[in-house]
Amino acid sequence: MAEAGLDHTDPARAVAVLGAVAGAKAVHPRLTPVWTMPGNEATVGHLTSQFHEIVQGARQSVTCATYNFQQTSQMWAVLAEAAERPGVLVTVYVDGAKADATAVQAQLPGATVYRSAELASGKKVVSHAKFVVVDHQLVLLTSANFSYSAENLNVEFGVLIHDGGLAESIESVMGKKHGSLYELAEA
């Protein structure tokens, strides 16, 4: 403290500097690798097939996107369960050409489901993003689609990030694309 010019003569300055140091250390998100590998090959971090447990713990919201959403995915049942929980908002984004958004909406009647739209040029938007945001705090960015293969058999990699700012940014950006890049799916 003395080397930094902070001493007992100016306690307010010392408190301000120490507060800034503590704040700077707090902004580093916690990162955890998330793997899918056949058999018992994944030995570090979480498994993609276990991520449904985090979604089951949602108390406020689940916002997720996937290119392909198959009924073989554990997320199918877990998102339906979360969408029926009082106070939990579930929003799902899928690629309109690859995933059957109508079937997803029918399976998740308590959720809001969006599919990628068609641009004015007639080209379809490809929605290749794959993420899950839980309670505006946890973000899973992953290469895995919502399918049995992606959750259990393929080699897939993701990162679980504890960062409320990133989570809220993702949700905000996606919400601003309603009506331009995404359209509401109907059952």
mmCIF file with all atom_site columns, all heavy atoms in Angstrom, residues 96-108:
data_model
loop_
_atom_site.group_PDB
_atom_site.id
_atom_site.type_symbol
_atom_site.label_atom_id
_atom_site.label_alt_id
_atom_site.label_comp_id
_atom_site.label_asym_id
_atom_site.label_entity_id
_atom_site.label_seq_id
_atom_site.pdbx_PDB_ins_code
_atom_site.Cartn_x
_atom_site.Cartn_y
_atom_site.Cartn_z
_atom_site.occupancy
_atom_site.B_iso_or_equiv
_atom_site.pdbx_formal_charge
_atom_site.auth_seq_id
_atom_site.auth_comp_id
_atom_site.auth_asym_id
_atom_site.auth_atom_id
_atom_site.pdbx_PDB_model_num
ATOM 1  N N   . GLY A 1 96  ? -35.161 -22.501 -39.265 1.00 0.00 ? 96  GLY A N   1
ATOM 2  C CA  . GLY A 1 96  ? -36.446 -22.790 -39.899 1.00 0.00 ? 96  GLY A CA  1
ATOM 3  C C   . GLY A 1 96  ? -36.397 -23.881 -40.939 1.00 0.00 ? 96  GLY A C   1
ATOM 4  O O   . GLY A 1 96  ? -37.398 -24.555 -41.184 1.00 0.00 ? 96  GLY A O   1
ATOM 5  N N   . ALA A 1 97  ? -35.250 -24.090 -41.557 1.00 0.00 ? 97  ALA A N   1
ATOM 6  C CA  . ALA A 1 97  ? -35.137 -25.110 -42.593 1.00 0.00 ? 97  ALA A CA  1
ATOM 7  C C   . ALA A 1 97  ? -34.716 -26.465 -42.029 1.00 0.00 ? 97  ALA A C   1
ATOM 8  O O   . ALA A 1 97  ? -35.053 -27.500 -42.599 1.00 0.00 ? 97  ALA A O   1
ATOM 9  C CB  . ALA A 1 97  ? -34.138 -24.673 -43.654 1.00 0.00 ? 97  ALA A CB  1
ATOM 10 N N   . LYS A 1 98  ? -33.993 -26.482 -40.924 1.00 0.00 ? 98  LYS A N   1
ATOM 11 C CA  . LYS A 1 98  ? -33.461 -27.744 -40.398 1.00 0.00 ? 98  LYS A CA  1
ATOM 12 C C   . LYS A 1 98  ? -34.326 -28.350 -39.294 1.00 0.00 ? 98  LYS A C   1
ATOM 13 O O   . LYS A 1 98  ? -34.548 -29.545 -39.259 1.00 0.00 ? 98  LYS A O   1
ATOM 14 C CB  . LYS A 1 98  ? -32.036 -27.515 -39.877 1.00 0.00 ? 98  LYS A CB  1
ATOM 15 C CG  . LYS A 1 98  ? -31.343 -28.766 -39.425 1.00 0.00 ? 98  LYS A CG  1
ATOM 16 C CD  . LYS A 1 98  ? -31.143 -29.734 -40.558 1.00 0.00 ? 98  LYS A CD  1
ATOM 17 C CE  . LYS A 1 98  ? -30.358 -30.950 -40.114 1.00 0.00 ? 98  LYS A CE  1
ATOM 18 N NZ  . LYS A 1 98  ? -30.297 -31.968 -41.127 1.00 0.00 ? 98  LYS A NZ  1
ATOM 19 N N   . ALA A 1 99  ? -34.815 -27.531 -38.380 1.00 0.00 ? 99  ALA A N   1
ATOM 20 C CA  . ALA A 1 99  ? -35.627 -28.034 -37.257 1.00 0.00 ? 99  ALA A CA  1
ATOM 21 C C   . ALA A 1 99  ? -37.100 -27.768 -37.550 1.00 0.00 ? 99  ALA A C   1
ATOM 22 O O   . ALA A 1 99  ? -37.446 -26.763 -38.162 1.00 0.00 ? 99  ALA A O   1
ATOM 23 C CB  . ALA A 1 99  ? -35.220 -27.344 -35.963 1.00 0.00 ? 99  ALA A CB  1
ATOM 24 N N   . ASP A 1 100 ? -37.958 -28.650 -37.102 1.00 0.00 ? 100 ASP A N   1
ATOM 25 C CA  . ASP A 1 100 ? -39.396 -28.479 -37.289 1.00 0.00 ? 100 ASP A CA  1
ATOM 26 C C   . ASP A 1 100 ? -39.937 -27.605 -36.154 1.00 0.00 ? 100 ASP A C   1
ATOM 27 O O   . ASP A 1 100 ? -40.310 -28.102 -35.095 1.00 0.00 ? 100 ASP A O   1
ATOM 28 C CB  . ASP A 1 100 ? -40.080 -29.846 -37.311 1.00 0.00 ? 100 ASP A CB  1
ATOM 29 C CG  . ASP A 1 100 ? -41.568 -29.765 -37.609 1.00 0.00 ? 100 ASP A CG  1
ATOM 30 O OD1 . ASP A 1 100 ? -42.152 -28.653 -37.558 1.00 0.00 ? 100 ASP A OD1 1
ATOM 31 O OD2 . ASP A 1 100 ? -42.157 -30.819 -37.885 1.00 0.00 ? 100 ASP A OD2 1
ATOM 32 N N   . ALA A 1 101 ? -39.965 -26.300 -36.392 1.00 0.00 ? 101 ALA A N   1
ATOM 33 C CA  . ALA A 1 101 ? -40.370 -25.342 -35.360 1.00 0.00 ? 101 ALA A CA  1
ATOM 34 C C   . ALA A 1 101 ? -41.806 -25.565 -34.901 1.00 0.00 ? 101 ALA A C   1
ATOM 35 O O   . ALA A 1 101 ? -42.129 -25.359 -33.730 1.00 0.00 ? 101 ALA A O   1
ATOM 36 C CB  . ALA A 1 101 ? -40.196 -23.914 -35.869 1.00 0.00 ? 101 ALA A CB  1
ATOM 37 N N   . THR A 1 102 ? -42.666 -26.005 -35.798 1.00 0.00 ? 102 THR A N   1
ATOM 38 C CA  . THR A 1 102 ? -44.056 -26.274 -35.435 1.00 0.00 ? 102 THR A CA  1
ATOM 39 C C   . THR A 1 102 ? -44.134 -27.435 -34.442 1.00 0.00 ? 102 THR A C   1
ATOM 40 O O   . THR A 1 102 ? -44.877 -27.376 -33.469 1.00 0.00 ? 102 THR A O   1
ATOM 41 C CB  . THR A 1 102 ? -44.895 -26.575 -36.695 1.00 0.00 ? 102 THR A CB  1
ATOM 42 O OG1 . THR A 1 102 ? -44.772 -25.470 -37.596 1.00 0.00 ? 102 THR A OG1 1
ATOM 43 C CG2 . THR A 1 102 ? -46.350 -26.789 -36.360 1.00 0.00 ? 102 THR A CG2 1
ATOM 44 N N   . ALA A 1 103 ? -43.346 -28.473 -34.679 1.00 0.00 ? 103 ALA A N   1
ATOM 45 C CA  . ALA A 1 103 ? -43.310 -29.612 -33.752 1.00 0.00 ? 103 ALA A CA  1
ATOM 46 C C   . ALA A 1 103 ? -42.704 -29.201 -32.413 1.00 0.00 ? 103 ALA A C   1
ATOM 47 O O   . ALA A 1 103 ? -43.165 -29.638 -31.356 1.00 0.00 ? 103 ALA A O   1
ATOM 48 C CB  . ALA A 1 103 ? -42.519 -30.764 -34.356 1.00 0.00 ? 103 ALA A CB  1
ATOM 49 N N   . VAL A 1 104 ? -41.671 -28.367 -32.454 1.00 0.00 ? 104 VAL A N   1
ATOM 50 C CA  . VAL A 1 104 ? -41.059 -27.893 -31.207 1.00 0.00 ? 104 VAL A CA  1
ATOM 51 C C   . VAL A 1 104 ? -42.096 -27.096 -30.414 1.00 0.00 ? 104 VAL A C   1
ATOM 52 O O   . VAL A 1 104 ? -42.255 -27.294 -29.206 1.00 0.00 ? 104 VAL A O   1
ATOM 53 C CB  . VAL A 1 104 ? -39.793 -27.045 -31.491 1.00 0.00 ? 104 VAL A CB  1
ATOM 54 C CG1 . VAL A 1 104 ? -39.262 -26.410 -30.207 1.00 0.00 ? 104 VAL A CG1 1
ATOM 55 C CG2 . VAL A 1 104 ? -38.715 -27.899 -32.148 1.00 0.00 ? 104 VAL A CG2 1
ATOM 56 N N   . GLN A 1 105 ? -42.824 -26.200 -31.065 1.00 0.00 ? 105 GLN A N   1
ATOM 57 C CA  . GLN A 1 105 ? -43.848 -25.404 -30.380 1.00 0.00 ? 105 GLN A CA  1
ATOM 58 C C   . GLN A 1 105 ? -44.945 -26.297 -29.810 1.00 0.00 ? 105 GLN A C   1
ATOM 59 O O   . GLN A 1 105 ? -45.416 -26.078 -28.701 1.00 0.00 ? 105 GLN A O   1
ATOM 60 C CB  . GLN A 1 105 ? -44.451 -24.365 -31.324 1.00 0.00 ? 105 GLN A CB  1
ATOM 61 C CG  . GLN A 1 105 ? -45.467 -23.466 -30.650 1.00 0.00 ? 105 GLN A CG  1
ATOM 62 C CD  . GLN A 1 105 ? -44.861 -22.619 -29.538 1.00 0.00 ? 105 GLN A CD  1
ATOM 63 O OE1 . GLN A 1 105 ? -44.128 -21.692 -29.818 1.00 0.00 ? 105 GLN A OE1 1
ATOM 64 N NE2 . GLN A 1 105 ? -45.164 -22.921 -28.287 1.00 0.00 ? 105 GLN A NE2 1
ATOM 65 N N   . ALA A 1 106 ? -45.347 -27.322 -30.556 1.00 0.00 ? 106 ALA A N   1
ATOM 66 C CA  . ALA A 1 106 ? -46.384 -28.244 -30.067 1.00 0.00 ? 106 ALA A CA  1
ATOM 67 C C   . ALA A 1 106 ? -45.899 -29.003 -28.830 1.00 0.00 ? 106 ALA A C   1
ATOM 68 O O   . ALA A 1 106 ? -46.677 -29.231 -27.900 1.00 0.00 ? 106 ALA A O   1
ATOM 69 C CB  . ALA A 1 106 ? -46.779 -29.227 -31.169 1.00 0.00 ? 106 ALA A CB  1
ATOM 70 N N   . GLN A 1 107 ? -44.625 -29.364 -28.806 1.00 0.00 ? 107 GLN A N   1
ATOM 71 C CA  . GLN A 1 107 ? -44.056 -30.081 -27.662 1.00 0.00 ? 107 GLN A CA  1
ATOM 72 C C   . GLN A 1 107 ? -43.846 -29.163 -26.465 1.00 0.00 ? 107 GLN A C   1
ATOM 73 O O   . GLN A 1 107 ? -43.865 -29.606 -25.326 1.00 0.00 ? 107 GLN A O   1
ATOM 74 C CB  . GLN A 1 107 ? -42.726 -30.732 -28.060 1.00 0.00 ? 107 GLN A CB  1
ATOM 75 C CG  . GLN A 1 107 ? -41.983 -31.402 -26.936 1.00 0.00 ? 107 GLN A CG  1
ATOM 76 C CD  . GLN A 1 107 ? -42.702 -32.620 -26.364 1.00 0.00 ? 107 GLN A CD  1
ATOM 77 O OE1 . GLN A 1 107 ? -43.508 -33.237 -27.025 1.00 0.00 ? 107 GLN A OE1 1
ATOM 78 N NE2 . GLN A 1 107 ? -42.409 -32.950 -25.123 1.00 0.00 ? 107 GLN A NE2 1
ATOM 79 N N   . LEU A 1 108 ? -43.636 -27.875 -26.732 1.00 0.00 ? 108 LEU A N   1
ATOM 80 C CA  . LEU A 1 108 ? -43.339 -26.903 -25.680 1.00 0.00 ? 108 LEU A CA  1
ATOM 81 C C   . LEU A 1 108 ? -44.419 -25.821 -25.652 1.00 0.00 ? 108 LEU A C   1
ATOM 82 O O   . LEU A 1 108 ? -44.138 -24.647 -25.916 1.00 0.00 ? 108 LEU A O   1
ATOM 83 C CB  . LEU A 1 108 ? -41.976 -26.259 -25.920 1.00 0.00 ? 108 LEU A CB  1
ATOM 84 C CG  . LEU A 1 108 ? -40.778 -27.183 -26.130 1.00 0.00 ? 108 LEU A CG  1
ATOM 85 C CD1 . LEU A 1 108 ? -39.537 -26.394 -26.500 1.00 0.00 ? 108 LEU A CD1 1
ATOM 86 C CD2 . LEU A 1 108 ? -40.533 -28.040 -24.909 1.00 0.00 ? 108 LEU A CD2 1
#
